[in-house]
Structures are given as C-alpha cells and as structure tokens.
Amino acid sequence: MRILILGGDGYLGWPQALYLSQQGHEVAVFDNLARRQFDLKHGFDSLIPIRTLHQRTARWTELTGKQITHYHGSTTEFEPLARAFQDFQPEAVVHFAEQRAAPCSMIDREHAVYTQHNNVIGTLNVLYAIKDFAPSCHLVKLGTMGEYGTPNIDIEEGFIEIHHNGRSDVLPFPKQPGSFYHLSKVHDSHNIMFCCKIWGLRSTDLNQGIVYGADTYQTSMNPDLATRFDYDQIYGTALNRFCAQAAVGFPLTVYGSGGQTRGYINIKDTVRCIELAIDSQPAEGEYRVFNQITEWFSVNDLAERVQRIGNGLGLDVQIDSIPNPRVEAEQHYYNAVHTKLLDLGLEPHLLDDGEIDHLISTALKHKDRIDPRLITPTVNWRHTENQVENTPEAVMAK
Ligand code: NAD
Ligand code: USQ
C-alpha cells in the first residue's frame, strides 16, 4: 500500500515509517520539523542522538534498498498537504503530526492556542485533503487514552450503551480530558466522526496510552536510524523520564501521592498496532475506536520497578514525591477495555519482559547528554501569579 505518515520525523512516526517500509509498503513522511525546532529554540535535546530526516532516510535506503519519500510542510497549511496527497495518492494516512505534550499546552495562553490550532485545524485540513484527493483512503489517527480521563466506571472501547428513561443507544464514551492538549484530541475525535458520517470517510481513532521504550527492531539496525527519546519536563513521559533520572542519580519525580494510573504500551507494539489497524480497513463511512494499551500502572508502580531494577544494576535510585504541578486525581479507579487490537492479533511486549533494564542501560550509555536542569517540572496547571516563570526559557535559566 501507499502509506503517508504525517509527523513521520517524531518519536513514533519515524519507527512507524521504517516498520511499514520494511513490511514492503511504499512509505512517505510529511513533517514540518516543529518538534526539532522546539528543541533548538529552548535548548532541549533527545537523550539518544538523532540524525536529520535526510540522513535517516538516506541510511535506510543504503541499508535496505528501500526509499522513504519526504514532504516538508505543516498540516495547518492546506497547500503543502494537498500537494503531498495529490503527488503520493495515499491509500492509508497515519496521522501523528500533533503537538503532543500536555505540559507544553499548559504553559500559557500562547501555547494552549498553538496546541489546539496545530492539532484541531491540522486534523481538519487532513480530513478535507482526504475528501478532496483520496476519498477512499483510510485515516489512522493517533488519539489518546487521556480523552476519557479517569471516570469511576470501566472505560469502554470508544462507545458505551446507555439506557435512559426507557430508551437505549450506543454513544461515544464520555470524555473528561485533563489538559488543553488532551482536549485537542477530543475535538479531533468529534471532527473525524462527523466527517465519516457526512462524507463516508473511513477512519480508525487509536486511543493510545503512554508509550515507553527507546527502540524498535528497525531503529536498532544502525545508530543513524535511532528515534528521539525525551526525558525533559515538557516532552518526557513518565517511565522514559524515570529511567533517565535513575541513570544520573536524580530522585524519581513522582507527582503528588503517585496513585495516578494510566494505560501504557511498548513502542514495539505501537508500530504493530498501526499495521493491524491498516490491515483491517474499516467500511466506507465507518468510524472505529481502538484502545491502544497493553497494561496499566500507577506512577508509584513504575517508580518502584525502576528503583528495584536500577538498584539491581548497581545504582542508588531514590524516589521523591514532589508537589503535583497538574490538576488530576491521585487516587482513582481504573479499568479500561482493550480487546480490539488483541483480537486482530497483537502479541504484546510487556513491561516486565526486561524493558526497564534495557531503558536504564540505554540511558546510562548516553548519560553525559542529560541536563538535570531540564527534569524538574515547572509548568503548573493552576492559575498562579507566577505563570510567566512556567516557560521553558525560565527552566533553562534555572
Ligand atoms: P513527537 O512530538 O515526537 O512527534 C510528532 C511529530 O509531528 C514531530 O516530528 C513534529 O515535528 C510533527 N508535527 C507536529 N505538528 C505538525 C504539523 N502541524 N504539521 C506537520 N508535522 C507536525 O510525538 P510522538 O510521541 O511521536 O507522538 C505522535 C502522536 O502520537 C501524537 O499525535 C501523540 O498525541 C500521539 N501519542 C503519543 C504518545 C506518547 O507517549 N508519545 C501516547 C499516546 C498518543
Ligand atoms: N508523572 C509523574 N512524574 C513525572 C511525569 C509524569 O508523576 O515525572 C505523572 C503525571 O502527573 C501523570 C502521569 O504521570 O499523572 C502521566 O504523565 P506523562 O507525562 O507520562 O503522560 P501524559 O501527560 O498523559 O502524556 C503522554 C504523552 C501524550 C499521550 C499521553 C497518553 O505525552 O502525547 O497522549 O501520554 S495518556 O496518558 O493515555 O493520555
């Protein structure tokens, strides 16, 4: 198939491009390099060194003989997107191209507006590009488990049957997102579902949990194929951060009491889930939702595992409960249905299969690249007098 990967230079998009290319698909990536620009502007960097997109694709071709086409552009501008669609004529589009950090979206008004404009308007343009240039193309969209929040009932896979005043219907599961970023995903979901209904588009919305891991089988083939690994307070996610913190002797930053429970997935399973979604094309007009997680943990569960395994590797790992910069439940019920991808054939890589050892070892290898000033969270969800200090510039100034 011809598969266009929007956001194909990112943490997940790049390994996805390699995976699908290796499977024999014709792959193109579309990216505006916004993530790299954020790093350059604010002095952040990936823990694992990464090559430019041109160097990456050239190395891939050298090693495998396969080509990955590269389009530069932003989804927020229709022209470059339209050109890529007209030129490449995709049969499937995998949409990763969003500002994906909750803390970034909560820095201030400007970042909230940037996040929602980039994500919601970008996705709206993608929907129009499909309608105008590739109407039978399957949109595989990365959503998030955070769209659901943490309700006090089981989380269903996208839809729930509701009985009300003697009538019943199957309706979208209620959404209670916890940041302007997570809200942008909810807005996307509504727009996508609507376009499937009115234009007969086909789409799979993947409500993915937090991804962990440093590599896939393809990115491990050569250091020039490595994907990014974020450990900083804005783009770093819980488990990846804890492993980097363990490597440099920084106490693990558990926010609040640490009972926050989330669904997690190994990056090796992310790339497979997307292949499973592509292979099982929805019908015309169908809007599907899959919960893309394999297991769930509280923040304390993760910190305790990293501490035990890190100490087993000879490190002295401490855990520090720090005031929670976010507004979120710290003790809550969590049970999420996630059977659809398993039914399609997903065989999960589970966390206790040695991934934490591997992550800490990877972080130790690159520990000289870790800047401890980037670890402490300063972006605060609450309204404070000091909002102005909650910027990456202020972090860098500390
Ligand atoms: P990332 O920031 O590493 O990659 C996103 C890529 O998209 C970057 O290369 C960036 O330059 C590009 N991009 C952003 N806005 C763009 C635009 N308007 N036009 C073109 N390119 C643009 O993020 P990631 O971790 O790879 O996440 C990819 C997707 O998966 C996101 O939609 C995210 O919400 C979702 N997701 C990620 C995780 C996770 O833990 N990383 C978990 C669940 C869902
Ligand atoms: N947390 C800590 N300490 C840290 C970092 C995070 O206790 O050092 C806590 C947070 O307070 C939160 C939980 O860990 O309760 C998860 O935070 P996170 O930063 O790992 O993940 P999150 O902000 O939810 O966002 C990440 C990705 C996002 C994706 C989402 C999936 O950045 O793109 O959508 O995971 S989900 O969580 O299912 O919504």
Side-chain angles (χ1 to χ4, degrees):
M1 286 175 83
R2 285 186 306 282
I3 304 175
L4 179 61
I5 301 183
L6 309 175
D9 186 49
Y11 171 52
L12 303 179
W14 174 242
Q16 191 67 53
L18 296 185
Y19 181 89
L20 292 171
S21 174
Q22 192 169 58
Q23 299 301 105
H25 296 289
E26 200 180 322
V27 173
V29 305
F30 178 96
D31 203 297
N32 66 351
L33 308 183
R35 184 66 195 80
R36 290 182 189 253
Q37 280 160 15
F38 185 93
D39 281 2
L40 286 172
K41 186 168 171 200
H42 299 295
F44 285 24
D45 204 357
S46 164
L47 168 68
I48 300 173
I50 53 171
R51 301 288 172 237
T52 65
L53 185 50
H54 288 93
Q55 289 167 332
R56 288 172 153 183
T57 49
R59 175 68 76 212
W60 180 247
T61 303
E62 203 178 289
L63 289 171
T64 65
K66 295 172 189 298
Q67 304 279 342
I68 295 178
T69 308
H70 172 200
Y71 296 99
H72 183 85
S74 172
T75 53
T76 55
E77 289 160 22
F78 195 61
E79 260 184 38
L81 195 60
R83 266 201 306 276
F85 268 79
Q86 286 168 299
D87 183 56
F88 189 67
Q89 286 293 311
E91 293 160 284
V93 173
V94 188
H95 182 10
F96 291 101
E98 299 206 326
Q99 191 302 99
R100 69 116 176 111
C104 178
S105 74
M106 300 302 291
I107 291 173
D108 55 16
R109 185 200 61 81
E110 187 193 341
H111 289 83
V113 170
Y114 164 68
T115 301
Q116 294 217 348
H117 181 265
N118 188 65
N119 297 1
V120 182
I121 303 307
T123 298
L124 195 52
N125 279 331
V126 171
L127 289 163
Y128 267 95
I130 295 175
K131 169 182 144 324
D132 291 352
F133 307 114
S136 59
C137 168
H138 174 191
L139 172 63
V140 178
K141 166 68 167 53
L142 273 293
T144 179
M145 285 299 287
E147 292 185 37
Y148 302 119
T150 52
N152 198 30
I153 57 171
D154 293 347
I155 294 172
E156 300 298 328
E157 218 153 351
F159 298 89
I160 184 169
E161 186 169 353
I162 295 181
H163 301 270
H164 180 63
N165 292 347
R167 304 182 66 81
S168 65
D169 203 349
V170 176
L171 297 168
F173 195 90
K175 308 288 174 77
Q176 302 183 82
S179 72
F180 287 122
Y181 153 70
H182 288 97
L183 275 154
S184 75
K185 294 287 192 184
V186 174
H187 305 329
D188 285 343
S189 294
H190 287 146
N191 286 344
I192 297 167
M193 189 173 158
F194 181 68
C195 292
C196 288
K197 189 165 79 178
I198 59 169
W199 298 330
L201 304 192
R202 329 163 181 261
S203 179
T204 307
D205 205 345
L206 296 170
N207 283 345
Q208 182 169 242
I210 302 167
V211 183
Y212 62 85
D215 41 48
T216 61
Y217 301 112
Q218 291 74 35
T219 64
S220 311
M221 283 168 59
N222 186 287
D224 289 349
L225 300 177
T227 195
R228 59 177 314 112
F229 184 105
D230 299 307
Y231 66 90
D232 61 82
Q233 58 136 336
I234 304 283
Y235 278 93
T237 48
L239 182 62
N240 287 357
R241 265 166 71 73
F242 288 170
C243 292
Q245 292 165 4
V248 287
F250 198 101
L252 308 188
T253 53
V254 169
Y255 297 169
S257 66
Q260 301 94 307
T261 302
R262 302 285 185 270
Y264 286 79
I265 183 166
N266 189 308
I267 190 169
K268 295 184 177 77
D269 291 335
T270 292
V271 294
R272 171 72 176 140
C273 285
I274 283 160
E275 179 187 38
L276 290 169
I278 292 171
D279 286 350
S280 62
Q281 170 137 287
E284 193 179 315
E286 188 182 357
Y287 169 74
R288 310 186 295 190
V289 180
F290 298 167
N291 289 348
Q292 189 162 307
I293 59 172
T294 56
E295 36 189 353
W296 52 81
F297 303 98
S298 70
V299 175
N300 285 330
D301 290 337
L302 297 181
E304 282 157 19
R305 277 174 166 76
V306 172
Q307 183 176 49
R308 178 168 44 78
I309 294 167
N311 288 348
L313 291 170
L315 302 170
D316 177 19
V317 181
Q318 304 293 323
I319 299 176
D320 196 6
S321 169
I322 59 177
N324 195 339
R326 306 188 183 193
V327 176
E328 59 185 357
E330 292 177 8
Q331 300 296 335
H332 58 87
Y333 178 76
Y334 196 86
N335 186 39
V337 176
H338 57 102
T339 53
K340 291 187 186 171
L341 285 157
L342 294 171
D343 290 347
L344 289 174
L346 176 66
E347 292 174 23
H349 295 75
L350 298 178
L351 183 58
D352 290 335
D353 293 344
E355 190 66 35
I356 294 181
D357 302 57
H358 177 60
L359 272 173
I360 297 177
S361 305
T362 305
L364 281 168
K365 200 166 136 195
H366 300 290
K367 68 184 242 196
D368 293 347
R369 294 173 57 85
I370 297 179
D371 180 348
R373 291 172 307 164
L374 302 184
I375 293 176
T376 307
T378 62
V379 178
N380 202 313
W381 263 229
R382 294 164 187 83
H383 177 73
T384 67
E385 302 291 328
N386 301 326
Q387 276 299 338
V388 73
E389 285 189 12
N390 294 332
T391 64
E393 289 87 343
V395 180
M396 290 307 300
K398 281 189 180 167

